[in-house]
Amino acid sequence: MANRSTHDGGSNPDHTGRHAVIDAEVISKRVKEAQHTEAEINLAREKYKALPQRGSILYFVIADLPLIDPMYQYSLEYFIQVFNHCLRSSPKSIDLPTRLRTLIDFTTEFVFSTGASLSSASTKLARSRLGVDANQGNLCPEVCRGLFQAHRLIFSFLICTAIQQQAQTISASDWSYLLRGAPPTPTTRPNPAPTLLTPAAWGGLHTLEDAMPVFKGIVRSFALEGQAWVRWLQSPEPYLEDLPVSWQSEGGSAISPVQKLCLLKLVRPDCLVPAIQQYVINSLGPHFAQPGPVSLHSVKKDSNNTTPIIFILSPGCDPTGELQRLALAEGFTPGERLHTISLGQGQGPLAQATIEMAAKQGHWVCLQNCHLVKSWMPELERQVARLCTEGQPDLHTSFRLWLTSMPSPHFPVAVLQSGIKVTMESPKGVRAALLRCYGTLSPAVLAQGCPQQPQAWPRMLFVLAFFHALVLERRKYGSLGWNTSYDFSDGDWLCARQTLSMFLNTQATIPWAALQYVTGRINYGGRVTDDNDRVLLTHLLPRCYTPAALTPDFTPAQGYPLPAADASLEACISHIQGLPAVDTALVFSMHPNADTTFQLQESERLISTVLSVQPRASHTAGAVSHDDMVAGVAQDALANLPAPLAREDASIARDPFAPLPTGAVNSLGVVLGQELERYNRLLHHVSASLQQLTKALKGVVAMSSSLEAMYTSLSNNQVPRQWAHVAYPSLKPLGPWLKDLQDRVAFFSSWLKRGLPNCFWLAACFFPQGLLTAVLQNHARLTKMPIDQLNFGFEVLRVEDALQLAAPPEVGVCVSGGRQN
């Protein structure tokens, strides 16, 4: 402009103004173009919004997994790599809705699945491309294979419900009721199906009707459509059956799937786990509810020389044998190129030196029992970090680092986040246990393992494997299966198999008694410490080790025939795969009610685990705040809490503490005094903690960690742990627990003020054994008989209610409530 002004001999105002106008028009045009471009970008970005929303849902579900088990650690960096990998590897499409649907389904399935359970062709294609991304870190779909079997359904259920909550197909009130429930409402209406509906379930239906508008009128429906509801309740799979006609709309059921789960939890809690499994199948697909097995070969294929492979162990499981077989197949001879070190005192320097040597020479290193050396875990973290970050030029590509550990909060988080996690646990079910046993055999062992008795060997081997499956699977029933939990393992099966081979090869005839003794009393019985468990073990083994096992038609249990005597290993495995997938209690010589008890425990475990990872519920505008709700629960509990029991209130005419007619101490009075002390301590603890929580909610005192835990328990309708520590054993939720506490205190108050009851409520005692012992002591002191010569005889009375007893028996006592929890 200066040159132009000088050339023209001066400035031209009109010319300058025209240029200013032109520049302004250009700028205005470009601003409009930029705004238009921004609007188009925002519009295009909004179209892709569903994909990052799905990614955030998946990540936050994964981020909550450490609350279930401290070994379930996954970093944000890992998830971003997996997410970017899905963007690159998913099938392409020019149609945007199709592309988005493919990306969402692909990412969800890829994040969930184990390497062996990828179902869609597109995901299998992505797995084949993993080698291309090996330098970018481990992108294998490892989340599910790093979870224990009991947690895989929980993981898929969390994904499913999180997706539907984001889509607003599950309301916050329905989700809260499914997890937390509500105290049952007392009712005087007659129960239309007392044999199918417990009093708690019948009262819960009234609460359900008040809490969820969709169930309005269900109590009346049970009275009017009793037969239809009875048929539904008696169905072995009610979650697959339609509700009575009045609860169905023209297009199907008027109740959503989650609302149906709420109803099932209330009236058929034993079916809740399979119902949730079916819910996941209907919502996401069958592969989300039934993930496939994990292969060590695929785990090794997905790893690299900077990625540790971590075996998360369960009791009785040892991956060493499987790892050694894999090493031999890959050319890594155990002891030469596979170095196994069991960590313990003084083994840290050896492990460090072995890792450094193996990293240079391309060997494999397996460090066992990392959870036992808490002090060496920081050094392990440094070793793994050095492998991952330094990019050592002498790091051999064939090097692999294998680690085994029980779940432990001391295991380095950085190692867990950078490694491939694989859970190792006993197979679930008889069929799976048999497949695991036969998976350890070679064709030569089956065909030539017993040259002296080749006809008996395969049949005896199968019944031994079946016995091994029995002792493993009885553990799932808890104290109903074994009085004490035992860590039966593959080592027991191997030892018993060798014992069987020795006896068959060295004896002309099978020594059944010796075989049963060595296998039952030594091989397996060496772990058994309880006398009754030892008796059970010696009665289970003759079901399998019997001369009848050599006959063609023998079966150790109904539905479990033996394979042909000349069957090959492949034929035996094929035969086992055709056995029942679901085992009933009858297979284990147990009553069918054991299955119901087990299913109830599984349902409770699943719901409590899901509840443990939920954030504190928030309230919406116009609704009662969470603090006010908890304060209301605390005030109600305080108002209904029984008064302490005072020894001074004892009856004078029927003094429960009075000595016996012989002048001896009344042992029942001693028991009563001890129970009064225990209940008064519990009542004082409950009252004091509720008062402190009320003050903390008002801001009068600080909210401590114990009060915070109590706050969470009350909001979740659970009994606080600090109460449970000083209380009697109970599995009840908060509402029924408080009602049960009132009934227990009322029983002891009646005993205190009215004298000995006509019938003792056995379950009301903190220590029921003490009551029974006191009865024996009193009888011994009255009759002058040695107490060690006394024992109980039992007679079941045909009385529906203990209140119907007019007087106590002349000898002994009446007791009730032996099964109450």
Side-chain angles (χ1 to χ4, degrees):
M1 293 294 292
N3 291 337
R4 181 175 295 178
S5 299
T6 303
H7 179 72
D8 294 341
S11 62
N12 187 341
D14 294 337
H15 184 74
T16 304
R18 284 196 299 271
H19 275 281
V21 172
I22 293 173
D23 290 343
E25 291 177 351
V26 171
I27 293 174
S28 177
K29 181 180 180 181
R30 290 179 178 175
V31 168
K32 292 180 179 179
E33 291 177 350
Q35 291 175 345
H36 180 70
T37 303
E38 182 181 4
E40 289 182 341
I41 292 175
N42 289 337
L43 182 61
R45 185 166 51 194
E46 285 296 318
K47 293 180 180 178
Y48 283 91
K49 190 175 181 179
L51 180 61
Q53 284 179 342
R54 177 60 59 87
S56 65
I57 289 173
L58 295 174
Y59 171 71
F60 284 111
V61 171
I62 293 174
D64 287 337
L65 291 178
L67 299 176
I68 300 176
D69 193 293
M71 304 296 281
Y72 299 161
Q73 299 284 347
Y74 299 90
S75 64
L76 177 61
E77 179 185 2
Y78 156 78
F79 185 82
I80 292 175
Q81 290 180 358
V82 169
F83 191 79
N84 291 335
H85 174 78
C86 292
L87 293 178
R88 294 190 302 270
S89 301
S90 58
K92 307 300 187 289
S93 175
I94 59 175
D95 182 59
L96 182 58
T98 303
R99 171 65 173 158
L100 286 177
R101 187 71 260 166
T102 302
L103 277 172
I104 290 173
D105 293 343
F106 182 93
T107 303
T108 304
E109 183 177 352
F110 189 83
V111 169
F112 171 81
S113 299
T114 61
S117 63
L118 302 175
S119 61
S120 66
S122 59
T123 316
K124 293 178 181 178
L125 176 62
R127 177 161 167 71
S128 67
R129 297 176 182 173
L130 283 173
V132 178
D133 301 82
N135 294 329
Q136 300 180 16
N138 171 38
L139 301 184
C140 60
E142 62 167 308
V143 176
C144 191
R145 72 180 174 194
L147 306 180
F148 288 111
Q149 294 182 33
H151 297 152
R152 292 179 183 178
L153 179 60
I154 293 174
F155 180 45
S156 59
F157 182 57
L158 288 173
I159 290 177
C160 182
T161 54
I163 292 173
Q164 296 192 357
Q165 287 181 80
Q166 189 269 334
Q168 297 183 350
T169 57
I170 298 179
S171 67
S173 59
D174 291 352
W175 181 241
S176 178
Y177 191 91
L178 176 63
L179 298 184
R180 299 175 177 88
T185 302
T187 179
T188 57
R189 294 184 183 181
N191 189 338
T195 59
L196 298 176
L197 289 176
T198 64
W202 179 236
L205 282 175
H206 292 73
T207 305
L208 181 68
E209 188 176 42
D210 297 335
M212 302 176 69
V214 71
F215 287 108
K216 196 69 176 177
I218 192 171
V219 174
R220 186 170 179 268
S221 175
F222 263 85
L224 297 179
E225 302 177 280
Q227 293 299 322
W229 280 109
V230 166
R231 285 193 298 270
W232 185 78
L233 290 171
Q234 289 179 332
S235 172
E237 297 178 332
Y239 50 89
L240 297 179
E241 303 290 339
D242 293 331
L243 294 176
V245 178
S246 63
W247 293 89
Q248 300 178 28
S249 62
E250 295 182 0
S253 177
I255 298 176
S256 70
V258 169
Q259 291 167 348
K260 191 173 183 179
L261 289 178
C262 294
L263 180 60
L264 280 168
K265 180 189 175 185
L266 191 61
V267 298
R268 283 294 302 273
D270 56 304
C271 293
L272 187 59
V273 171
I276 288 177
Q277 189 173 23
Q278 187 64 40
Y279 167 73
V280 171
I281 291 174
N282 295 339
S283 302
L284 298 179
H287 46 280
F288 282 87
Q290 299 171 346
V294 177
S295 167
L296 278 192
H297 178 75
S298 65
V299 172
K300 188 266 175 184
K301 185 178 180 180
D302 293 336
S303 67
N304 55 47
N305 55 352
T306 64
T307 304
I309 304 168
I310 306 158
F311 292 109
I312 307 175
L313 308 178
S314 62
C317 287
D318 184 7
T320 304
E322 195 171 350
L323 177 59
Q324 289 177 347
R325 287 191 293 272
L326 174 66
L328 284 173
E330 296 284 340
F332 291 81
T333 306
E336 296 180 4
R337 299 191 64 193
L338 170 61
H339 307 278
T340 303
I341 300 175
S342 183
L343 294 179
Q345 186 174 6
Q347 295 297 303
L350 174 62
Q352 181 177 347
T354 305
I355 291 176
E356 294 174 354
M357 178 273 297
K360 296 178 181 179
Q361 299 183 13
H363 294 184
W364 289 4
V365 178
C366 178
L367 303 183
Q368 298 176 321
N369 302 323
C370 295
H371 59 284
L372 299 179
V373 282
K374 175 183 176 181
S375 60
W376 194 72
M377 287 299 98
E379 179 59 34
L380 174 63
E381 184 175 358
R382 285 190 290 269
Q383 291 288 331
V384 173
R386 188 178 301 113
L387 294 174
C388 296
T389 59
E390 288 187 0
Q392 304 175 26
D394 56 348
L395 182 61
H396 201 285
T397 57
S398 298
F399 169 72
R400 294 294 185 275
L401 178 61
W402 307 78
L403 307 172
T404 73
S405 175
M406 297 287 287
S408 171
H410 310 301
F411 201 93
V413 173
V415 177
L416 290 168
Q417 292 181 345
S418 63
I420 299 176
K421 293 175 284 295
V422 182
T423 53
M424 301 295 296
E425 55 186 326
S426 300
K428 303 300 181 184
V430 172
R431 185 176 69 176
L434 289 172
L435 287 173
R436 185 178 181 89
C437 289
Y438 273 75
T440 62
L441 302 177
S442 64
V445 171
L446 184 63
Q448 306 171 9
C450 183
Q452 296 299 325
Q453 300 199 42
Q455 297 298 320
W457 168 249
R459 301 185 67 84
M460 296 296 295
L461 192 64
F462 182 86
V463 295
L464 175 60
F466 187 84
F467 171 75
H468 180 74
L470 287 184
V471 298
L472 288 179
E473 284 304 296
R474 283 186 69 99
R475 296 183 301 185
K476 74 179 184 181
Y477 295 103
S479 57
L480 295 179
W482 299 103
N483 287 340
T484 304
S485 180
Y486 304 109
D487 295 337
F488 297 113
S489 65
D490 293 342
D492 300 315
W493 149 254
L494 176 61
C495 185
R497 194 183 78 200
Q498 293 173 345
T499 300
L500 175 63
S501 176
M502 178 191 69
F503 274 110
L504 294 184
N505 279 320
T506 58
Q507 301 289 331
T509 59
I510 301 177
W512 296 105
L515 197 56
Q516 291 175 6
Y517 184 87
V518 174
T519 304
R521 295 281 186 175
I522 301 176
N523 294 153
Y524 286 91
R527 295 183 182 273
V528 177
T529 57
D530 184 85
D531 291 338
N532 291 326
D533 287 341
R534 189 174 293 110
V535 172
L536 171 63
L537 190 68
T538 55
H539 279 75
L540 286 176
L541 186 56
R543 285 181 51 188
C544 303
Y545 274 180
T546 171
L550 304 181
T551 60
D553 299 331
F554 174 77
T555 58
Q558 185 176 2
Y560 293 84
L562 274 64
D566 57 348
S568 64
L569 180 60
E570 292 77 11
C572 289
I573 293 177
S574 178
H575 172 83
I576 293 171
Q577 290 173 341
L579 296 178
V582 179
D583 312 312
T584 65
L586 296 176
V587 176
F588 309 100
S589 301
M590 302 177 70
H591 193 276
N593 285 349
D595 280 330
T596 303
T597 302
F598 168 70
Q599 291 160 359
L600 290 173
Q601 293 173 351
E602 288 294 292
S603 299
E604 177 63 27
R605 187 180 298 113
L606 187 149
I607 291 297
S608 61
T609 303
V610 173
L611 185 58
S612 68
V613 302
Q614 298 302 305
R616 179 180 296 179
S618 60
H619 70 282
T620 57
V624 179
S625 70
H626 204 60
D627 286 354
D628 291 341
M629 186 271 289
V630 174
V633 172
Q635 291 297 330
D636 290 343
L638 271 174
N640 296 315
L641 199 65
L645 298 168
R647 194 182 180 105
E648 293 76 15
D649 294 336
S651 171
I652 298 177
R654 302 182 61 187
D655 186 3
F657 304 105
L660 297 176
T662 60
V665 175
N666 186 348
S667 296
L668 287 174
V670 174
V671 170
L672 175 61
Q674 294 171 344
E675 293 293 332
L676 295 184
E677 293 177 2
R678 296 187 181 106
Y679 274 100
N680 285 339
R681 182 171 64 251
L682 173 60
L683 292 172
H684 172 74
H685 190 82
V686 171
S687 176
S689 60
L690 286 172
Q691 292 175 5
Q692 284 294 104
L693 179 62
T694 302
K695 293 179 181 179
L697 292 174
K698 294 179 180 179
V700 178
V701 298
M703 181 72 79
S704 63
S705 58
S706 60
L707 291 178
E708 183 74 22
M710 182 178 172
Y711 179 101
T712 302
S713 298
L714 294 184
S715 65
N716 291 338
N717 194 29
Q718 295 175 331
V719 179
R721 287 189 177 182
Q722 51 265 52
W723 296 1
H725 288 329
V726 295
Y728 41 84
S730 177
L731 301 176
K732 297 179 182 293
L734 179 62
W737 188 89
L738 289 172
K739 177 63 171 61
D740 183 56
L741 176 61
Q742 296 173 10
D743 295 340
R744 288 168 181 260
V745 174
F747 167 74
F748 284 103
S749 176
S750 175
W751 184 357
L752 179 68
K753 298 176 181 179
R754 300 178 183 177
L756 289 177
N758 296 335
C759 182
F760 287 89
W761 183 11
L762 188 62
C765 299
F766 269 78
F767 188 59
Q769 297 91 329
L771 176 64
L772 298 178
T773 303
V775 172
L776 291 178
Q777 288 177 339
N778 278 3
H779 187 78
R781 290 166 182 171
L782 288 172
T783 60
K784 307 293 180 137
M785 293 181 61
I787 191 172
D788 57 354
Q789 296 181 7
L790 297 177
N791 205 342
F792 283 110
F794 301 94
E795 180 184 354
V796 179
L797 302 179
R798 298 184 180 274
V799 177
E800 293 292 336
D801 192 342
L803 297 178
Q804 298 177 7
L805 293 174
E810 296 182 2
V811 178
V813 292
C814 289
V815 296
S816 65
R819 295 189 301 169
Q820 184 163 342
N821 60 2

